[in-house]
Amino acid sequence: MQEFIDHISTQLHLSPSMKERLLSLTTVQKFKKGDTLGPEYSIQGRVFLIKSGAARIYYLKEGKDITTWFAFEKDLLISIRSKFSRQEYPEIIEFLEDTEVITIQWRERRDPAKESNIFIYSMANRILLAYSRFLEERLIVLQNKTAKERYEWVVTRYPHLLQRARLGQIASYLGITKETLYRIRSGKYSG
């Protein structure tokens, strides 16, 4: 587990004492392909670091699932919407293959002046900053790129995505139809 703490430490610029504290908040969990964590399993206050495997976050809207995030080895997986808002469409984590995750459990604290709480708030801010960078990149791609350019972006960002996720999930993530994705992949897209 230490190598993954070192990895997240590099991403979040943690001091040695912060790495040690983070290690004390972590556990390892294993999930099977197809397992889901939904509203009944409070994903609030948890951050997952994918050690091996793959997952996605999605929500259901009028019976259709809408993919909002993919995560693979060494990626963070968090549910911001469920943590900070009362959402109309609760998020669900689905494991796309057998997956081992390091779970970081943020405990609810009452006194923000305590040293342990300062650490937790600092970590949460660092994770939110990393997440906001990713969201900004994705937003720019979705708003400014053609469907073909979005597809090229996602397969560059996630080189093994096509082998690990269904095409419908990828199309949903890109905000395009499966038919458009099929045309792009076959070279018949003219948009």
Side-chain angles (χ1 to χ4, degrees), residues 23-83:
L23 189 58
S24 73
L25 297 172
T26 61
T27 58
V28 175
Q29 292 181 277
K30 294 182 180 185
F31 297 95
K32 296 285 186 197
K33 178 180 180 174
D35 283 353
T36 60
L37 302 178
E40 70 283 351
Y41 176 93
S42 177
I43 57 178
Q44 297 180 8
R46 288 184 169 88
V47 175
F48 301 97
L49 178 65
I50 305 289
K51 186 172 180 182
S52 64
R56 73 178 179 120
I57 292 182
Y58 71 98
Y59 64 90
L60 296 172
K61 181 179 180 183
E62 299 169 4
K64 183 177 177 182
D65 76 57
I66 310 295
T67 300
T68 59
W69 195 343
F70 288 105
F72 302 98
E73 287 80 7
K74 297 185 179 181
D75 283 342
L76 289 172
L77 187 65
I78 57 178
S79 174
I80 297 297
R81 290 175 60 226
S82 64
K83 179 66 180 164

Side-chain angles (χ1 to χ4, degrees), residues 83-127:
K83 179 66 180 164
F84 295 108
S85 67
R86 301 216 183 269
Q87 61 199 15
E88 184 177 356
Y89 305 109
E91 291 177 316
I92 301 163
I93 297 174
E94 176 188 16
F95 295 95
L96 302 175
E97 54 195 41
D98 290 352
T99 303
E100 187 172 0
V101 300
I102 296 172
T103 303
I104 304 165
Q105 173 67 55
W106 307 122
R107 291 162 182 75
E108 295 298 323
R109 306 292 181 170
R110 300 265 182 227
D111 182 0
K114 286 187 178 176
E115 183 178 327
S116 61
N117 294 337
I118 292 169
F119 169 78
I120 289 173
Y121 293 133
S122 175
M123 285 299 304
N125 284 337
R126 289 167 191 253
I127 289 169

Side-chain angles (χ1 to χ4, degrees), residues 108-170:
E108 295 298 323
R109 306 292 181 170
R110 300 265 182 227
D111 182 0
K114 286 187 178 176
E115 183 178 327
S116 61
N117 294 337
I118 292 169
F119 169 78
I120 289 173
Y121 293 133
S122 175
M123 285 299 304
N125 284 337
R126 289 167 191 253
I127 289 169
L128 289 173
L129 182 60
Y131 180 64
S132 68
R133 280 190 219 113
F134 163 75
L135 286 180
E136 182 179 40
E137 176 186 358
R138 182 163 180 239
L139 180 64
I140 289 169
V141 168
L142 289 175
Q143 288 183 331
N144 297 299
K145 304 289 184 186
T146 65
K148 184 177 180 186
E149 290 169 331
R150 284 185 248 163
Y151 171 75
E152 291 166 352
W153 170 79
V154 81
V155 295
T156 299
R157 189 173 222 302
Y158 304 114
H160 303 289
L161 181 63
L162 293 170
Q163 292 81 30
R164 300 170 95 177
R166 295 190 317 267
L167 289 180
Q169 296 166 345
I170 298 168

